[in-house]
Amino acid sequence: MLFQHFPGVLLGVDHQGLIRCTNPQAMSCLALSDQLLLEKSPEVIAAQGEAPVFARAIRDCISQGSAWQGLVTCRTGGGGMCQMSVVVQPFYDAGLACLVMLHDISEVFSQVLAERYLHENNETPENISTREDIESYVARIPGIVFRLRQAHEGALSFDYLGPGFEEQTLLCADEVRKDADVLLNRMSEEQRLKLSIELAQSGSTMSPWRLEMCIDSGSSLCWFEARGVPQHVADGAVAWDGLLLDITERKLHESQIEKLVSTDALTGVMNRRAFHDAAEAAAAQAMRHGQHVVLAMLDLDHFKALNDCYGHAAGDKVLQSFSETCRMSLRPYDLIARIGGEEFVVMLVDVQLVDAREILERLRSNVESMTMQVGDRALRVTVSMGAIWLDEAEELEMAMLRVDRALYEAKHAGRNCLRGLSRGGWLDQDEISASGHEGDGSHIREYRFVDTFSGSARLAIDEPSNSLHELPEGPCLPTPCPNCGQRQLRAPTTGTPDAWVYCGACRAFVCRYHEAADYPS
Ligand SMILES: Nc1nc2c(ncn2[C@@H]2O[C@H](COP(=O)(O)OP(=O)(O)OP(=O)(O)O)[C@@H](O)[C@H]2O)c(=O)[nH]1
């Protein structure tokens, strides 16, 4: 009985997930015969790209008894497509595990229009039995039925907005009907643009469209899945019959799952996988805008000993406090991730190079002064850090290798310190010192970096622009070094009288260019 008279397509699915029975509407609505459907999985009727969601809904229904409602673009026997509202529900009878109920939303829409006609004219169209029938039919359809019309000049208006719109969107249906912008203005710029692209494509190819959109009701954010089927209407304009389905709960669930898989459970910071994606995106964006990006690797010192002495639970507590200190010491848009047991990475985006050193130093010192109470003891830890700034177009994997070497240097140098790496080699922190040179009233400060990796020297000038100037590998000056007498003085080829001159023998900046070279005074 139920199968014969159900006002839509019904598929009975067994415990293996295969269709066991259908109703006559499968043929009349989808033009699919029993031969094509029986013993197949229900997702065979779903259009490409839609099948996985549909298959999962059926799997979950069979294994967990959970029901599902959604919209699926289905293939019809004639080679066409249609938008079906789908309900998957457990059904333990006659060897079945669940029922799949499908309603064609265009069909629903014509029923809705018929209902309106019925209401306005107080007449009964031939194909409709009673208003109660239609109302109960429409009530079974999940979502808000609409007809959206686009006039020739592109203006959008709603011919029809079904019941439930006001409760779900908290917007006044009458106002939205008069002016679609009342609804569209609640969407982000990006989603409005997506919608207009979908509508333009759908209007020109007369194919269905589908979009997930977020509507800001003022007091909350609601997610909807919208689908529309186009048709030409009387005045030659295009109208879409469609459904808005509230998917807020699903979106919330998805974002919780996303958070779970991207977050380190112990510390709440990002895990390695999430960091990789976020760091690549952040670095690419910063590079596009000409901003500096600094990557640092942090490793707690003697953590094994701490675990051995005070127990794993105390170690866990230290990791949590350490993460919290990182969060508090950095800006909200800097990235922090735990990539191993007691190993973390930090990415500072849009940072001036000299500031980066100060930020990381402050973090190191905050960790040093942090105390954690374990029983009657106050524990202290220290952290070693390696830091590099990212080169343009450098792969993140390569940068991770470089920063790992910088961290190794920090451990090697006695721990609880920061070591950096220039483009060519190590920046030995002990050698980094502000020379106090203030230019002539300008804000130029000079830093000395001795590159112990390659043995050559670099001169970094902290100008207001924070740009880094490397000492070119120019020829030796003929003058001997005022310190050691060796002839190994080098100066920038663009050397101004006040530029620093580096002695390869002393491995230090020893004098100004005009003091060393035959500079015309
Ligand atoms: N409590 C706790 N310990 C962890 C966790 N993950 C890794 N560890 C421990 O962290 C310790 C890391 O030890 P090592 O790699 O030898 O490093 P270290 O003792 O910090 O020495 P240095 O890095 O050289 O200063 C190991 O004992 C791991 O068992 C965790 O989630 N919780």
Side-chain angles (χ1 to χ4, degrees), residues 147 149-150 159 206 231-241:
R147 172 172 280 186
R149 176 194 291 260
Q150 188 159 40
D159 283 356
M206 295 311 277
Q231 58 177 290
H232 289 293
V233 283
D235 58 359
V238 180
W240 290 269
D241 295 341

Side-chain angles (χ1 to χ4, degrees), residues 294-320:
V294 167
L295 182 67
M297 195 174 274
L298 292 68
D299 188 286
L300 290 172
D301 297 325
H302 304 301
F303 196 63
K304 185 174 180 316
L306 186 138
N307 264 335
D308 293 348
C309 269
Y310 303 102
H312 211 76
D316 283 358
K317 206 170 157 197
V318 168
L319 289 170
Q320 286 166 334

Side-chain angles (χ1 to χ4, degrees), residues 418-463:
L418 165 68
R419 283 294 179 270
L421 189 64
S422 79
R423 280 159 225 263
W426 302 111
L427 295 182
D428 188 337
Q429 195 200 2
D430 296 337
E431 299 292 332
I432 300 175
S433 60
S435 70
H437 168 55
E438 289 291 323
D440 21 71
S442 72
H443 296 289
I444 296 175
R445 283 186 297 151
E446 293 183 9
Y447 287 84
R448 297 177 187 190
F449 292 157
V450 173
D451 183 343
T452 54
F453 188 66
S454 66
S456 65
R458 284 165 206 286
L459 175 67
I461 304 179
D462 175 25
E463 289 172 334

Side-chain angles (χ1 to χ4, degrees), residues 26 30 34 111 115 160 200 262 275 317 357 363 372 441 475 495 511:
L30 294 174
D34 277 3
Q111 301 265 14
E115 183 217 17
Y160 182 82
S262 62
F275 175 77
K317 206 170 157 197
R357 223 169 69 77
L363 168 58
M372 278 137 304
C511 62

Side-chain angles (χ1 to χ4, degrees), residues 56 80 113 118 214 243 250 277 312 338 401 438 453 518:
R56 196 175 59 215
L113 285 188
L118 193 80
C214 183
L243 265 189
R250 190 184 91 201
D277 294 347
H312 211 76
R338 183 177 177 210
L401 288 180
E438 289 291 323
F453 188 66
D518 199 5

